Amino acid sequence: MIVGCQWGDEGKGKIVDVLAEDVDIVARYQGGANAGHTVHVGDDEFILHQIPSGILHGGKRCLLGNGVVLDLLQFCDEYDALVSRDIQVDGRVGISERAHLLMPYHRVLDRAREDRAAEKIGTTGRGIGPAYEEKAGRRGIRVADIRNENRFAQLVEDGVARAKDRLAALGGDDGGALDQAMERTLSLRDRLLSLATDTGLEIVEALDAGKHVLLEGAQGTALDLDHGTYPFVTSSNTTAAGAATGVGIGPTRIHEVVGVVKAYTTRVGNGPLPTGGDAAIDEKLRQLGGEFGATTGRPRRCGWFDAVLARYAARVNGLTGLAVTKLDVLDTLPEISIGLEYCFPDGYCTREFPADTFTLGSVAPRFETVPGWEEDTTGCRTLADLPRNARAYLDRIQELTGTPIRFVSVGTRRDQIIFVD
Ligand code: IMP
């Protein structure tokens, strides 16, 4: 499986795209259309929010597991857009019957709440929190519910009524857009039913037949509902253990967990970014790395590589390997820093990621600064091709995380990757 080790946007889409070549099934296990996986194929750019990135590899089966919240409108728009760009999608996508539907009213509620919140999370506005709340509150609507027309109609009616009440309590109004969106969602019912499947069963049968499966995480470890910087997190378990639950298999069936880290750190949305905060570095990395959100277009905050977080991610996810992405973004920098530990205002320093998000906002990391390489790495295809200082930087990341580097990405294109033996 592939899991993000920072605050999302680590470049998982690219790694999934490269590895999808050698697997039979790619499955997503959590999140919804808040994800934004950018993949470059030749000169074409694809941004996928709801459909697994594996779809760009002909013949691969792509699944959305029960842990995903399915935004049907977004899903169908994305599906149709892929078809219009000559990607063969029919027969290749399956959606868990146990997945919950993210309804148009969840989006409306998400935005209304964020607009009025005193302390904003900075959500993507895609309805994620409200959809998972209804799932945990046992009021959600699952794909399987669509089979029974009366039951489905009743669940939708109840959901709309509940949402309108909550919206009124928030002093909001959707101006009739909700009824329109609901009508469209209901009209897509048959289309959804034709894709419904048991993802756990499909995956286990494939594994038993000797096939290969890739589980594709969205967001990152620091956005995990349990292990991230709560409450500035998403509403699902983004970490490795969530993958088994999220597709319906036992954890013993997962034998490789590759964590993706960017060669520096970024964050979009609110909440602390310990290695950020230097305005000049923030701007420099954002411009060099094109760090603007794939889903919302928001500028991402940028900072140096955070070894405390990466080491924590290695532990929480039980990583067997690392993929380091966007190394080339650092090519022109004379010096590069790495956050080694967090120091609190009272002088206490730690290398363990703290649970208290609000004190995390006050830490000053202790940095180690290493020389840059000031050479173009975008043409490197082996570790030996890399400048000596770039190799030293990777060695240091490997040492600090205690995790072997398996892949290094040096550009947006599929071929711009180093496979480490
Ligand atoms: P939500 O998932 O839309 O509820 O947003 C919660 C937090 O997760 C916000 O800080 C978002 O910016 C962040 N977030 C959600 N999805 C992504 C993603 O794919 N990449 C980066 N940040 C994300």
Side-chain angles (χ1 to χ4, degrees):
M1 67 163 296
I2 297 295
V3 64
C5 290
Q6 295 158 331
W7 279 278
D9 308 319
E10 298 93 351
K12 295 178 292 294
K14 153 109 189 237
I15 303 297
V16 169
D17 181 60
V18 168
L19 296 182
E21 182 77 35
D22 299 322
V23 304
D24 303 281
I25 296 178
V26 181
R28 266 194 64 180
Y29 58 86
Q30 45 73 228
N34 49 348
H37 290 170
T38 308
V39 182
H40 292 85
V41 182
D43 292 332
D44 284 340
E45 180 182 87
F46 295 84
I47 300 180
L48 297 161
H49 298 285
Q50 187 77 85
I51 298 182
S53 319
I55 201 73
L56 300 172
H57 275 281
K60 313 293 176 188
R61 177 94 171 134
C62 290
L63 300 176
L64 288 106
N66 52 281
V68 166
V69 282
L70 180 79
D71 183 330
L72 196 49
L73 297 183
Q74 171 73 36
F75 172 85
C76 289
D77 286 349
E78 210 165 295
Y79 190 109
D80 295 340
L82 286 167
V83 171
S84 75
R85 291 174 75 176
D86 291 332
I87 307 286
Q88 198 272 314
V89 191
D90 289 346
R92 293 182 49 210
V93 181
I95 300 172
S96 168
E97 291 200 77
R98 293 177 173 86
H100 280 246
L101 292 180
L102 186 147
M103 303 301 264
Y105 49 79
H106 293 136
R107 277 187 183 231
V108 174
L109 276 174
D110 190 8
R111 288 184 187 151
R113 252 199 231 154
E114 276 283 279
D115 282 349
R116 288 158 187 79
E119 182 145 60
K120 298 184 196 309
I121 304 291
T123 71
T124 58
R126 298 296 181 105
I128 304 301
Y132 278 113
E133 264 175 49
E134 294 218 302
K135 174 178 177 177
R138 296 164 293 186
R139 293 182 298 273
I141 307 176
R142 302 194 305 164
V143 172
D145 292 319
I146 294 188
R147 294 204 186 283
N148 181 329
E149 201 165 337
N150 292 337
R151 178 171 164 71
F152 183 56
Q154 187 60 52
L155 285 168
V156 171
E157 199 182 310
D158 293 349
V160 172
R162 236 179 3 254
K164 287 193 167 172
D165 280 353
R166 285 162 75 192
L167 208 54
L170 285 167
D173 178 17
D174 70 283
L178 196 51
D179 289 325
Q180 252 184 4
M182 286 310 301
E183 217 169 283
R184 221 194 123 210
T185 303
L186 294 174
S187 74
L188 295 168
R189 186 174 158 263
D190 288 343
R191 206 168 155 185
L192 177 57
L193 267 187
S194 69
L195 303 175
T197 185
D198 183 331
T199 50
L201 182 63
E202 266 202 51
I203 290 176
V204 164
E205 283 182 351
L207 291 174
D208 288 346
K211 293 185 176 170
H212 297 282
V213 178
L214 186 64
L215 304 178
E216 171 180 339
Q219 291 85 47
T221 300
L223 289 173
D224 182 281
L225 183 58
D226 287 76
H227 304 291
T229 48
Y230 191 91
F232 304 103
V233 291
T234 192
S235 297
S236 61
N237 284 117
T238 59
T239 43
T245 307
V247 293
I249 60 173
T252 49
R253 302 306 303 252
I254 301 174
H255 67 277
E256 283 251 32
V257 183
V258 173
V260 186
V261 287
K262 202 142 48 178
Y264 49 98
T265 313
T266 64
R267 174 163 205 176
V268 62
N270 298 339
L273 174 67
T275 59
D278 179 322
I281 298 299
D282 175 66
E283 185 58 25
K284 183 95 189 159
L285 289 173
R286 182 162 45 252
Q287 293 309 328
L288 288 172
E291 295 295 351
F292 297 88
T295 299
T296 59
R298 293 180 287 177
R300 298 175 184 145
R301 286 180 280 152
C302 302
W304 295 119
F305 186 82
D306 184 338
V308 178
L309 173 59
R311 210 164 67 92
Y312 174 67
R315 167 162 64 84
V316 173
N317 293 295
L319 297 185
T320 58
L322 269 186
V324 179
T325 60
K326 297 186 103 165
L327 185 72
D328 56 298
V329 170
L330 306 181
D331 280 356
T332 56
L333 301 181
E335 284 185 333
I336 297 163
S337 296
I338 299 175
L340 290 184
E341 58 182 4
Y342 296 159
C343 295
F344 291 89
D346 65 2
Y348 170 72
C349 295
T350 180
R351 289 190 175 216
E352 299 304 334
F353 198 72
D356 184 346
T357 302
F358 294 92
T359 60
L360 184 60
S362 68
V363 301
R366 187 170 70 77
F367 288 106
E368 166 181 285
T369 298
V370 296
W373 42 94
E374 297 182 271
E375 265 181 65
D376 182 2
T377 59
T378 56
C380 298
R381 295 293 175 269
T382 67
L383 278 186
D385 293 342
L386 286 173
R388 180 200 296 260
N389 287 350
R391 284 208 307 276
Y393 183 63
L394 293 173
D395 286 346
R396 190 70 178 123
I397 288 179
Q398 194 162 249
E399 184 180 33
L400 288 167
T401 56
T403 311
I405 293 176
R406 303 275 310 279
F407 311 94
V408 182
S409 172
V410 289
T412 53
R413 289 200 324 265
R414 254 182 200 170
D415 65 306
Q416 290 178 306
I417 190 149
I418 296 171
F419 292 89
V420 182
D421 280 338

